């Protein structure tokens, strides 16, 4: 799987269980190195476990899960599941830092 955007309906999305029947059409993921960013994702059926299955699959592939600046329900999810709070360099604004929550895969 190469770095970059992962859109619903793509082979990479299917491999990750990031499926159109579970997430809204404008959702996407972003692969960066050994991590998948959940930067814009919305469940079509909140509470049905699609996000949990997605994260489990990402970890099964040996990749970390990262959530930049979580808001609302996602903030509750990262806190409840033990994601680690970090900051990382912003990829488009050198010198700027971005808040990122990370749940590392077991390697």
């Amino acid at each position: 799987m190469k770095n970059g955007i992962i859109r619903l309906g793509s082979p990479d999305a299917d491999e990750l269980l990031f499926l159109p029947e579970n997430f809204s059409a404008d959702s996407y993921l972003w692969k960066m190195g050994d991590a998948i960013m959940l930067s814009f994702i919305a469940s079509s059926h909140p509470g049905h476990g699609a996000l949990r299955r997605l994260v489990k699959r990402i970890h099964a592939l040996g990749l970390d899960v990262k959530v930049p600046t979580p808001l609302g329900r996602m903030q509750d999810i990262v806190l409840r599941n033990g994601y680690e709070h970090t900051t990382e360099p912003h990829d488009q604004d050198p010198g700027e830092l971005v808040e990122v929550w990370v749940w590392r895969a077991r390697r």
Side-chain angles (χ1 to χ4, degrees):
M1 186 179 308
K2 62 183 181 177
N3 287 338
I5 195 166
I6 301 171
R7 296 194 186 277
L8 288 167
S10 70
D12 287 342
D14 292 346
E15 181 182 1
L16 293 170
L17 303 179
F18 182 53
L19 306 172
E21 59 267 22
N22 295 327
F23 298 95
S24 68
D26 52 354
S27 295
Y28 64 87
L29 305 173
W30 197 273
K31 181 169 184 306
M32 293 178 60
D34 63 351
I36 300 289
M37 291 283 233
L38 308 184
S39 55
F40 190 80
I41 186 170
S43 176
S44 298
H45 313 284
H48 283 90
L51 179 61
R52 187 174 25 253
R53 287 188 298 276
L54 172 64
V55 169
K56 185 176 180 180
R57 178 64 180 152
I58 292 168
H59 281 162
L61 293 171
L63 299 167
D64 297 336
V65 175
K66 294 185 175 184
V67 181
T69 317
L71 300 172
R73 184 163 161 71
M74 188 58 83
Q75 187 173 35
D76 295 337
I77 290 168
V78 299
L79 290 170
R80 183 175 59 245
N81 288 292
Y83 283 64
E84 171 191 353
H85 180 252
T86 65
T87 56
E88 296 184 0
H90 192 282
D91 63 340
Q92 300 197 3
D93 290 323
E96 294 292 318
L97 295 176
V98 177
E99 173 187 1
V100 178
W101 293 77
V102 182
W103 191 356
R104 300 193 190 284
R106 294 182 190 179
R107 294 187 180 95

